[in-house]
Amino acid sequence: MVQHQSATFNASFAALADVTRRGVLEQLCRADASITELAGKFRMSLTGMKKHVEVLEQAGLVTTRKVGRVRTCTLGAHCLQQEAAWIARHQQLWSGRFDALDGVLDELKRQEKAGGRKQKK
């Protein structure tokens, strides 16, 4: 299970690491598009766009279907719920740590102010 989850996460995060691929997903949220249309919107060669779409497809984020010479892309079934839950858990962990650090810093500032008043007398 952990290895499968890790492989899925790796593919998802690798696909999302690229600004063009994130842009493709944003575009496909609005409407399905052919690889030719996507390549035109991103000012990219068909070969380059096809490679980006393949990475998204391997991660399950995009599906394609070919009708004649046109390959149309749609959002895939993988909706990133597990990845979002993973991020939320880590965000909660770090938020707790930063809150604790804020508490320590506030205490140190309070002690510094209290110590500074004593020295002036």
Side-chain angles (χ1 to χ4, degrees):
M1 175 68 180
V2 173
Q3 286 182 336
H4 173 70
Q5 183 181 21
S6 178
T8 302
F9 278 21
N10 288 347
S12 298
F13 287 124
L16 295 172
D18 184 85
V19 67
T20 299
R21 291 191 285 267
R22 290 191 306 271
V24 167
L25 290 175
E26 288 290 325
Q27 183 64 38
L28 294 178
C29 284
R30 293 184 207 102
D32 295 352
S34 70
I35 290 181
T36 303
E37 291 168 335
L38 291 170
K41 288 183 190 233
F42 290 91
R43 296 182 180 159
M44 178 177 284
S45 69
L46 289 174
T47 304
M49 182 53 69
K50 188 168 185 239
K51 288 179 182 180
H52 282 296
V53 168
E54 286 173 359
V55 171
L56 290 166
E57 201 167 18
Q58 288 171 358
L61 299 171
V62 168
T63 58
T64 61
R65 68 181 181 283
K66 189 171 181 180
V67 178
R69 296 182 69 181
V70 177
R71 183 171 298 277
T72 303
C73 304
T74 60
L75 288 177
H78 186 69
C79 58
L80 300 172
Q81 286 178 329
Q82 290 178 337
E83 291 82 353
W86 183 87
I87 290 170
R89 281 192 309 274
H90 284 80
Q91 183 178 19
Q92 187 177 21
L93 171 80
W94 282 103
S95 291
R97 288 181 178 181
F98 285 128
D99 289 345
L101 180 60
D102 285 341
V104 169
L105 292 173
D106 289 342
E107 177 62 21
L108 289 172
K109 286 178 185 176
R110 186 188 64 73
Q111 289 175 3
E112 188 177 273
K113 284 182 181 179
R117 284 189 213 134
K118 289 179 184 176
Q119 290 176 356
K120 289 181 182 179
K121 288 183 180 181

